[in-house]
Amino acid sequence: MHAQGRSVGLGLALVSALAFGGSGVAAKPLIEAGLDPLHVVWLRVAGAALVMLPLAWRHRALVRRKPVLLAGFGLLAIAGVQGFYFASLSRIPVGVALLIEYLAPALVLGWVRFVQRRPVTRAAAVGVVLAVGGLACVVEVWAGLSFDALGLLLALGAACCQVGYFVLSDQSGEGDDAVDPLGVIAYGLLVGAGVMTVIAQPWNMRWGILGGAVDMGGSQVQAWALLGWVVLIATVVAYVTGVKSIRRLSPQVAGVLACLEAVIATVAAWVLLREHLSTPQIVGGAVVLIGAFIAQSSTPKAPSEGPVAGGVPDAGEGGRDGDITDTEGALSAGRTSP
């Protein structure tokens, strides 16, 4: 039974990685067709929030119990990460933008070591060094920063938003006070949709683009089909399958599979969008992923810590709620990918 549950968990995790990894590839043609990146974010978040509305109603008690957590998830993990990530796609390749987000483990460990003044393992420090070194290859620093500097900063902003949520997850509660991650995701999407409505001002959107076809690596694809993928697959299915998979897998295994998202995004962008990377960039990307994996898998796990998904605590076996007891625990298992 345990082996069967693990197999199901691996399958769900792979589905989640495929879904998350395809978000940028589906969104970039819409942006290049003339939609503002913030409008694409609003469409994604608002559409997913509408689909998840029944779950939000089911977990409506969370509004009273964890208002700060819900606001933080909506502002950082939803609006912040998605907004910065999609904005970066208008300036740099999909794979590069996502790889920069994988600096989040390094940034979190920096927070733990230098702000919270807590020790980190030597292996985690090695992982950070590898991730930063690999990133230098990805952006080809020897060529005088060949990529758009603003695009790199926007992608780094997405990584910083992930760090903010990992830190916020310290207060997510434990035992009877722990929360259901699906409820947090549903309310996070609602909060994110509200924030993005004010920021993106969708009433100024070029709605006509959604009714036509857009270019995707030389092929014409219906814009509404790409938007449907972004909302239903890359957001709703990605988050829900991610939550379900973490219940059946260890944080270390989850960390490995999360790294597949960057690989999937890069390969998909290469095949579908014709975004070719040089050999040093490919090698550097592999080093970033290895470093991120080492940093995640080497973080210590607190005795009472339960699995988490999407950066929020997950319910354990038998209906017992898990919890996050420290930032490093959230880092080792959490994910708020684009």
Side-chain angles (χ1 to χ4, degrees):
M1 182 65 71
H2 177 71
Q4 182 180 5
R6 183 179 176 85
S7 298
V8 172
L10 287 171
L12 290 171
L14 288 173
V15 170
S16 182
L18 284 167
F20 272 127
S23 64
V25 175
K28 188 159 187 173
L30 298 175
I31 295 172
E32 292 181 337
L35 280 180
D36 188 280
L38 292 179
H39 289 159
V40 178
V41 175
W42 179 82
L43 288 167
R44 178 185 190 180
V45 175
L50 187 62
V51 174
M52 298 287 280
L53 195 57
L55 270 177
W57 175 254
R58 177 182 176 185
H59 297 284
R60 56 191 179 278
L62 284 176
V63 177
R64 297 190 306 273
R65 291 178 54 206
K66 297 289 182 181
V68 175
L69 179 64
L70 299 183
F73 191 86
L75 290 171
L76 297 175
I78 301 295
V81 171
Q82 311 300 339
F84 279 116
Y85 174 66
F86 276 24
S88 71
L89 294 184
S90 64
R91 311 184 74 95
I92 60 177
V94 172
V96 173
L98 195 54
L99 285 169
I100 291 176
E101 281 203 47
Y102 271 84
L103 281 181
L107 296 175
V108 171
L109 289 175
W111 173 275
V112 171
R113 179 66 183 88
F114 298 109
V115 178
Q116 296 184 335
R117 298 186 180 279
R118 293 160 51 193
V120 297
T121 64
R122 182 175 300 178
V126 170
V128 169
V129 172
L130 285 174
V132 174
L135 183 63
C137 294
V138 170
V139 301
E140 295 185 329
V141 293
W142 56 85
L145 200 64
S146 59
F147 282 121
D148 186 287
L150 179 57
L152 297 177
L153 288 175
L154 289 169
L156 185 60
C160 289
C161 284
Q162 289 202 48
V163 172
Y165 185 71
F166 286 139
V167 173
L168 178 69
S169 63
D170 276 342
Q171 63 163 307
S172 57
E174 54 186 88
D176 293 337
D177 194 40
V179 296
D180 188 311
L182 287 176
V184 176
I185 291 171
Y187 274 102
L189 288 167
L190 286 172
V191 172
V195 172
M196 291 308 303
T197 298
V198 175
I199 296 175
Q201 300 180 356
W203 47 88
N204 295 323
M205 188 188 310
R206 297 174 60 185
W207 292 92
I209 293 176
L210 298 178
V214 297
D215 179 75
M216 188 176 188
S219 301
Q220 294 296 304
V221 180
Q222 292 298 313
W224 62 265
L226 292 177
L227 179 60
W229 178 277
V230 169
V231 171
L232 297 176
I233 306 300
T235 307
V236 176
V237 171
Y239 273 117
V240 172
T241 54
V243 167
K244 298 296 184 183
S245 70
I246 298 295
R247 293 188 178 187
R248 297 171 171 84
L249 301 174
S250 69
Q252 288 75 16
V253 174
V256 175
L257 294 175
C259 289
L260 290 177
E261 294 169 20
V263 176
I264 291 167
T266 303
V267 172
W270 195 321
V271 174
L272 299 176
L273 302 182
R274 306 293 189 264
E275 290 186 351
H276 298 287
L277 302 180
S278 66
T279 299
Q281 289 171 329
I282 294 172
V283 173
V287 173
V288 169
L289 296 179
I290 292 171
F293 166 62
I294 293 174
Q296 292 180 79
S297 62
S298 63
T299 51
K301 180 177 164 183
S304 60
E305 180 185 313
V308 292
V312 295
D314 198 1
E317 295 296 327
R320 182 179 63 83
D321 286 335
D323 64 282
I324 302 175
T325 57
D326 60 28
T327 304
E328 292 183 76
L331 167 65
S332 65
R335 178 179 61 185
T336 54
S337 295

